[in-house]
Amino acid sequence: MLLWGPPSKFVSGGAEAKQKGEIVAIDDGRTADRLLNWINKHMSSNYNLDDEKYENEHLIVNMSDHKQIVRAVYDVEEATSSAFDIILGSKVVNSKTRPSLKGFLQLLVAHHPSRRCRKGSADILVNFDEFWPSDLSSSNKQEAIVSRGKDAVQVCGKEVPRGYWIYCRGSKNETRGFSCGLWVLLHSLSVRIEDGESDFAFKTTCEFIHDFFVCEECRQHFYEMCSRVSSPFKKATDYALWLWTAHNQVNERLIKEEATHKTGDPKFPKMIWPPRQLCPSCYLSQPSRGKNDTVAIDWNKDEVYKFLANYYGKMLVSLNKESSLEEEIRASSMADEMVASTNVVAVPLGAALGIALASCAFGALACFWRSQQKNRKYFHGHSLKRI
């Protein structure tokens, strides 16, 4: 049976919504063609099976729409969980890589933009030695950890990863997705740290990418950029701007590679970030071509940092003001300010446990919100549900 109606009505109470006619049964959906005809009739639309409609496909033609980043919080959760699934499956945790994994977890506990990922990271950190004991030389131990980890290591909750992307969704299956979500995560962490954490965040991020990122070439390129930093970071601003510069250097390299090999996403080509449409004050002059055909831009770095802090900070976790539920979730972020200001260098296991216990108070609300989001499809505020 297929039912049709607004996503909120499936969450808030299906029986009552059916009685009011807000949820209706689809009486002719035995094939894709017939189902699409039914949808077109009820929406007065003309979709066909050859359409390539993506919720975020207008980003390139309308880059001034700041609100797109709001949806990225779900992709950050997806990327975080996917990263830990990869780490478990590839058996790359050993005596050399354990410290970088533990350090990155500390960073997530204190500054991950998702409340449920902070809680899950704290749970894992508290039980870190059980998941990855110091002696990991035995292959049998590795197999046991992998087997147990599939159920036990749930860094962002049981229903994450969900298997789809929203802000980071590409027009091809092999584009954007995980790499996009991971970059957004790193930027969101960089604008949340305090000055005293900047060098720790830099070293932890560099070591985590070097030890665990699956793309060998990408891993080496990133670590080379890390190696060129000669002095410790003293300010959070400096680290955020370094990461922004590194990301643009990666994009510049990929722009050339994708043009040569035709591997890019035509709807989401790599670009220097932020584009002028999003942050005109970030540009002191028009971009020009520099040496080796690189893009030369005279940046106003103070304005760039303000943009990054707002885009990957406040806007990333802000939610639709029209929804009272979302407003409630956003208002509760005040309780997380104490967590966000924690010095990650000195997060002890006891503090991590405290964070985990405190986060439990939001469990029911987060579960309800997750259920509401999972039922969302892309037919202009309506969804299909199979029962």
Side-chain angles (χ1 to χ4, degrees):
M1 180 184 290
L2 288 171
L3 300 177
W4 173 264
S8 60
K9 300 303 178 182
F10 288 106
V11 176
S12 59
E16 184 179 350
K18 285 182 184 179
Q19 292 177 354
K20 293 181 178 180
E22 295 168 324
I23 294 179
V24 297
I26 296 177
D27 54 13
D28 190 15
R30 296 175 71 80
T31 67
D33 285 316
R34 292 165 71 172
L35 175 59
L36 194 54
N37 287 336
W38 190 97
I39 292 172
N40 283 331
K41 180 180 177 181
H42 281 73
M43 291 181 58
S44 299
S45 58
N46 58 353
Y47 290 106
N48 64 70
L49 295 178
D50 294 325
D51 279 339
E52 294 183 359
K53 295 294 182 182
Y54 295 92
E55 184 183 18
N56 54 3
E57 69 176 345
H58 61 286
L59 271 174
I60 297 304
V61 297
N62 187 17
M63 287 299 298
S64 61
D65 185 2
H66 283 56
K67 294 180 181 178
Q68 290 297 322
I69 193 63
V70 172
R71 298 166 179 158
V73 69
Y74 304 105
D75 291 354
V76 169
E77 292 177 336
E78 191 79 4
T80 305
S81 293
S82 297
F84 276 82
D85 285 348
I86 293 169
I87 290 169
L88 279 170
S90 56
K91 307 175 189 177
V92 289
V93 183
N94 53 48
S95 57
K96 293 182 179 179
T97 60
R98 283 177 82 252
S100 63
L101 181 59
K102 182 177 285 189
F104 196 69
L105 278 166
Q106 288 180 312
L107 202 58
L108 298 185
V109 168
H111 299 301
H112 198 291
S114 165
R115 188 175 299 105
R116 55 185 153 206
C117 293
R118 290 198 297 275
K119 177 188 180 300
S121 299
D123 291 338
I124 295 171
L125 193 59
V126 168
N127 299 290
F128 189 86
D129 290 333
E130 292 183 28
F131 292 129
W132 298 286
S134 55
D135 179 16
L136 289 169
S137 56
S138 168
S139 60
N140 290 334
K141 286 184 178 180
Q142 287 276 9
E143 291 291 346
I145 291 168
V146 172
S147 177
R148 181 189 173 208
K150 290 178 181 178
D151 297 321
V153 181
Q154 296 169 341
V155 68
C156 293
K158 293 182 180 180
E159 294 187 19
V160 183
R162 308 169 185 85
Y164 61 86
W165 304 94
I166 301 178
Y167 173 82
C168 288
R169 183 177 183 178
S171 63
K172 299 179 179 179
N173 289 335
E174 65 273 15
T175 59
R176 305 189 85 219
F178 177 68
S179 60
C180 167
L182 187 60
W183 272 117
V184 176
L185 170 62
L186 297 181
H187 285 299
S188 69
L189 294 173
S190 75
V191 299
R192 285 173 168 78
I193 61 171
E194 303 293 335
D195 287 343
E197 305 167 280
S198 55
D199 202 55
F200 173 82
F202 164 70
K203 291 177 179 177
T204 296
T205 300
C206 288
E207 291 169 359
F208 180 79
I209 296 296
H210 181 260
D211 289 341
F212 300 112
F213 199 65
V214 292
C215 170
E216 176 67 26
E217 183 181 4
C218 308
R219 186 166 67 234
Q220 290 304 323
H221 275 296
F222 192 85
Y223 203 68
E224 286 171 10
M225 291 189 293
C226 293
S227 301
R228 290 196 289 268
V229 176
S230 56
S231 57
F233 288 105
K234 295 182 179 180
K235 293 183 177 181
T237 304
D238 295 336
Y239 170 58
L241 288 174
W242 174 85
L243 185 67
W244 160 74
T245 301
H247 194 173
N248 273 338
Q249 289 175 356
V250 170
N251 279 351
E252 258 195 298
R253 176 173 58 83
L254 292 178
I255 288 171
K256 297 176 182 178
E257 289 185 7
E258 291 179 353
T260 301
H261 302 291
K262 309 297 181 184
T263 55
D265 190 324
K267 292 185 180 291
F268 300 94
K270 294 292 187 296
M271 64 176 65
I272 301 303
W273 187 261
R276 200 180 187 97
Q277 301 98 303
L278 281 186
C279 186
S281 62
C282 293
Y283 290 72
L284 293 174
S285 63
Q286 288 285 352
S288 60
R289 285 290 167 184
K291 296 180 180 179
N292 301 320
D293 201 34
T294 57
V295 178
I297 299 175
D298 190 9
W299 294 101
N300 183 333
K301 292 190 175 180
D302 289 338
E303 290 298 311
V304 170
Y305 179 74
K306 289 179 184 178
F307 170 83
L308 296 173
N310 183 57
Y311 195 77
Y312 294 107
K314 295 178 182 178
M315 294 189 67
L316 179 63
V317 297
S318 66
L319 299 168
N320 191 336
K321 293 182 178 180
E322 295 177 1
S323 168
S324 60
L325 173 63
E326 292 171 340
E327 276 292 293
E328 185 178 351
I329 295 174
R330 189 157 66 93
S332 69
S333 65
M334 293 178 61
D336 292 316
E337 290 301 319
M338 295 178 63
V339 178
S341 63
T342 302
N343 188 328
V344 74
V345 180
V347 176
L349 295 186
L353 180 59
I355 295 169
L357 293 175
S359 299
C360 289
F362 303 108
L365 185 59
C367 181
F368 176 73
W369 171 241
R370 183 165 60 246
S371 298
Q372 187 182 50
Q373 289 300 305
K374 196 168 183 180
N375 286 329
R376 179 172 294 169
K377 301 297 179 184
Y378 306 116
F379 283 110
H380 296 285
H382 287 72
S383 72
L384 290 166
K385 185 168 182 177
R386 183 179 294 276
I387 60 172

